[in-house]
């Protein structure tokens, strides 16, 4: 409050930041995972039917895909790869968010002023580091989500550990880092597009007095940013998914995968799985935002107590997740 001296606060340690970011990511992943699975199935549709022994299931739309999977493979199929997905969140989200503040301070040389360019650079740098660290878990997650029962009821992998072992044995250690470059590219595009479009949409909403700076405004800006980001990032995301799911020798590179898609399926193939990708991206941000607010983690001056004492952590968290990154955003002191 104005006129009062800020209370001393114990700044969360790096370990707390890592664990908190990973845990929040896991909770959001549990809620949005079926959408991610539907996205993967739609993205690989067209090439999956060519896999020997695979069921040539035709998926139509996000909800049609979910219903088809439930009917033909059971409800548990929507969470294929969940273990690897949670492993990915604990490693990916922890590194990306946990190191974000340190990287931002590195680019600003320890000063408190961090503009949009600095945030973009920090987000892309920590994102690339997180992708490189968590890539094996992402490869296993995608392959589990993509696998369907063969004619004799068999599966490509029997367990998460079996998937790690099989990939390393048949494709070498490099197989676990398959698709790392397109994954880093996608992450950079998502970070940049979300930050810029969220800022622009929120500023327009406030400029024309369509909403006040409150929860509905943040939701609207987040969904708008999610749509714009999905439009830009979808082609790279589809290539990333297919390349990571492919076995050794199928594609020589990510560009070879993209050219094969363009030649065999046309430009529309690059936007397969667009709707679940958009829904997941928007709902992911909103789930994370609700999660932060439900625990009192807010930078609002009207929200005291435990959450306000975590404002330093939330500042990095919200900026990276594009939920409070307008040019007018100022972190409050505990």
């Amino acid at each position: 409050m104005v006129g009062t001296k800020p209370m001393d606060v114990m700044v969360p340690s790096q370990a707390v930041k890592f664990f908190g970011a990973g845990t929040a990511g896991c909770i959001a992943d549990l809620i949005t995972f079926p959408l991610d699975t539907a996205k993967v199935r739609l993205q690989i549709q067209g090439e999956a039917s060519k896999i020997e022994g695979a069921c040539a299931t035709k998926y139509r739309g996000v909800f049609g895909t979910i219903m088809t999977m439930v009917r033909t493979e059971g409800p548990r199929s929507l969470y294929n790869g969940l273990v690897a997905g949670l492993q990915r969140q604990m490693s990916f989200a922890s590194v990306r968010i946990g190191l974000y503040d340190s990287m931002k301070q590195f680019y600003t040389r320890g000063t408190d002023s961090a503009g949009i360019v600095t945030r973009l650079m920090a987000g892309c740098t920590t994102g690339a580091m997180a992708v490189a660290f968590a890539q094996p878990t992402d490869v296993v997650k995608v392959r589990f989500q993509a696998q369907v029962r063969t004619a004799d009821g068999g599966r490509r992998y029997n367990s998460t550990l079996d998937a790690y072992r099989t990939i390393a044995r048949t494709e070498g250690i490099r197989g676990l880092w398959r698709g790392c470059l397109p994954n880093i590219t996608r992450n950079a595009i998502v970070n940049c597009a979300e930050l810029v479009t969220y800022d622009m949409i929120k500023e327009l909403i406030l400029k024309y007095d369509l909403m006040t700076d409150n929860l509905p405004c943040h939701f609207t800006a987040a969904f708008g940013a999610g749509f714009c980001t999905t439009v830009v990032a979808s082609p790279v995301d589809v290539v990333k998914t297919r390349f990571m799911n492919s076995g050794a020798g199928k594609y020589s590179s990510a560009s070879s995968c993209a050219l094969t898609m363009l030649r065999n399926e046309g430009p529309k193939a690059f936007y397969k799985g667009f709707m679940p990708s958009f829904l997941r991206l928007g709902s992911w941000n909103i789930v994370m935002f609700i999660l932060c607010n439900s625990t009192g983690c807010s930078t609002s001056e009207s929200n005291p107590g435990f959450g306000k004492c975590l404002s330093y952590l939330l500042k990095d968290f919200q900026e990276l997740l594009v939920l409070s990154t307008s040019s007018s955003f100022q972190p409050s002191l505990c």
Side-chain angles (χ1 to χ4, degrees):
M1 293 178 62
V2 179
T4 62
K5 184 177 180 179
M7 296 168 54
D8 291 333
V9 58
M10 184 176 65
V11 179
S13 65
Q14 201 71 9
V16 172
K17 287 186 178 183
F18 273 59
F19 181 76
T23 302
C26 287
I27 294 173
D29 217 30
L30 282 169
I31 297 172
T32 61
F33 203 81
L35 288 173
D36 191 43
T37 302
K39 180 200 74 170
V40 170
R41 290 293 180 96
L42 286 167
Q43 286 180 335
I44 65 170
Q45 185 167 249
E47 70 166 6
S49 59
K50 298 177 183 178
I51 299 176
E52 185 178 358
C55 301
T57 305
K58 180 68 173 178
Y59 302 114
R60 294 183 181 276
V62 54
F63 297 111
T65 300
I66 291 174
M67 293 304 296
T68 299
M69 291 181 63
V70 171
R71 186 176 65 252
T72 59
E73 303 175 54
R76 292 181 61 183
S77 64
L78 297 175
Y79 284 90
N80 282 345
L82 178 63
V83 174
L86 296 180
Q87 291 172 349
R88 176 184 179 274
Q89 287 304 326
M90 285 305 298
S91 53
F92 180 82
S94 296
V95 172
R96 186 177 67 164
I97 299 174
L99 292 180
Y100 178 67
D101 186 52
S102 299
M103 192 58 60
K104 191 172 62 175
Q105 290 179 0
F106 171 78
Y107 283 122
T108 58
R109 301 183 183 277
T111 63
D112 293 331
S113 58
I116 184 69
V117 176
T118 301
R119 292 201 297 266
L120 289 174
M121 292 174 63
C124 290
T125 303
T126 56
M129 294 168 61
V131 168
F133 180 68
Q135 185 66 12
T137 62
D138 208 3
V139 171
V140 172
K141 177 186 78 74
V142 167
R143 294 196 181 187
F144 259 100
Q145 290 175 315
Q147 76 173 357
V148 294
R149 291 192 183 94
T150 56
D152 59 358
R155 289 185 177 275
R156 191 177 183 182
Y157 306 110
N158 295 319
S159 66
T160 303
L161 185 59
D162 175 60
Y164 286 118
R165 289 174 175 172
T166 302
I167 294 172
R169 184 176 64 251
T170 60
E171 303 175 40
I173 297 298
R174 291 181 60 184
L176 291 171
W177 272 267
R178 191 171 185 82
C180 190
L181 182 58
N183 207 0
I184 290 175
T185 303
R186 175 196 172 275
N187 179 76
I189 292 174
V190 168
N191 276 343
C192 296
E194 277 192 332
L195 280 168
V196 173
T197 55
Y198 181 86
D199 272 345
M200 292 176 62
I201 293 172
K202 186 176 179 182
E203 286 177 4
L204 287 172
I205 291 174
L206 297 178
K207 178 181 178 180
Y208 291 100
D209 295 323
L210 300 176
M211 297 179 185
T212 57
D213 192 359
N214 54 15
L215 200 61
C217 175
H218 298 162
F219 277 19
T220 304
F223 258 91
F227 178 80
C228 296
T229 302
T230 307
V231 170
V232 176
S234 185
V236 180
D237 192 35
V238 175
V239 172
K240 178 215 73 169
T241 298
R242 290 200 176 191
F243 190 57
M244 286 167 56
N245 185 53
S246 64
K250 185 169 185 178
Y251 302 114
S252 59
S253 63
S255 57
S256 171
C257 177
L259 290 173
T260 301
M261 284 175 54
L262 182 63
R263 183 172 59 250
N264 295 342
E265 302 171 60
K268 291 176 65 176
F270 290 96
Y271 284 92
K272 287 187 173 182
F274 178 88
M275 187 55 68
S277 183
F278 163 58
L279 292 175
R280 184 177 187 272
L281 189 60
S283 59
W284 170 279
N285 288 342
I286 288 177
V287 167
M288 296 288 263
F289 185 80
I290 293 175
L291 181 63
C292 287
N293 280 272
S294 66
T295 56
C297 297
S298 174
T299 55
S300 171
E301 290 291 338
S302 62
N303 190 12
F306 171 78
K308 202 175 174 188
C309 290
L310 294 178
S311 61
Y312 288 98
L313 173 61
L314 180 65
K315 177 188 66 175
D316 307 332
F317 194 66
Q318 286 181 319
E319 283 183 350
L320 185 61
L321 293 176
V322 203
L323 291 173
S324 291
T325 52
S326 71
S327 57
S328 61
F329 171 74
Q330 296 291 336
S332 62
L333 295 176
C334 183

